[in-house]
Amino acid sequence: MNAEFMWEAIRLSIQNIRDGNGGPFACVVVKEGKIIARGTNTVTSTNDPTAHAEIVAIRNACKELKSFQLSGCEIYTSCEPCPMCLGAIYWARPDKIYYANGRNDAAKIGFDDEILYEELSQKISDRKIPTMQLMREEALAAFREWEQKQDKIQY
C-alpha cells in the first residue's frame, strides 16, 4: 500500500467535481510502483451510466497494457466500489484493491448503492425490474460454438 497513490485518487476526485465532469469519484491503477492509468467519474458529462471512475481507469489501464487483465496491478479508488465496479474489478483480476470513502459515506451524499446490493441477493422473480428468460435453447447455440472453438482466448 502506498498513500501517494490514494492521494492521487483523492486529488482527482476533487478535481473532477471542479471540472464538472461527474461525481466525486476517481481511481488510479498502479503497476510496479507506477500509476499506469487514471479514471474519474464521467457519468453526467458523457451520458454514460457505466462511466464510473473504476471502469474508466480499468479501460485505460487495459489499453495501456494491451491486455484484458490487470494481474500484477493494484487499484486505488477514492470510494468503495459499487457492485458494477466491483464486478469489473474482479473480471480484470488485479492483485489488490484499496479504497478511501466507504459506501455509507457515499450514501450520505446521495450515492446510495444499497438497492443494488439488495437486488443482487433477490431471486430474479423478486427483483424490482421485471426480468424474464427468453429463447434460452436458441441462445445456447452460441455457447456450444464457443465451447467447440479451438483458437479461443480464455478469460
Side-chain angles (χ1 to χ4, degrees), residues 79-151:
C79 189
E80 181 179 354
C82 73
M84 175 184 70
C85 292
L86 189 59
I89 290 168
Y90 270 78
W91 279 115
R93 295 178 174 85
D95 292 355
K96 290 185 182 171
I97 307 165
Y98 299 99
Y99 68 92
N101 292 314
R103 68 186 190 198
N104 293 329
D105 300 317
K108 287 178 186 173
I109 63 163
F111 294 93
D112 190 359
D113 297 331
E114 195 57 37
I115 187 173
L116 299 174
Y117 293 103
E118 290 171 7
E119 286 289 286
L120 288 172
S121 68
Q122 298 292 324
K123 292 189 301 188
I124 291 174
S125 61
D126 294 336
R127 293 184 181 161
K128 291 188 184 338
I129 297 176
T131 306
M132 293 143 279
Q133 191 170 21
L134 182 66
M135 297 181 68
R136 176 180 176 266
E137 289 302 318
E138 292 81 355
L140 282 173
F143 282 12
R144 284 190 287 275
E145 187 165 328
W146 174 258
E147 195 172 41
Q148 299 303 312
K149 185 173 174 58
Q150 296 299 309
D151 61 345

Side-chain angles (χ1 to χ4, degrees), residues 5 8 10 20 24 26 34 36 40 42 51 56 62 67 82 90 100 107 129 132 141 143 154:
F5 301 132
E8 177 63 3
I10 293 167
K34 294 184 179 163
I36 61 163
T40 59
T42 59
V56 173
C62 289
S67 173
C82 73
Y90 270 78
I129 297 176
M132 293 143 279
F143 282 12
Q154 293 285 353

Side-chain angles (χ1 to χ4, degrees), residues 21-34:
N21 291 326
F25 307 101
C27 179
V28 297
V29 179
V30 175
K31 185 163 184 146
E32 298 172 355
K34 294 184 179 163

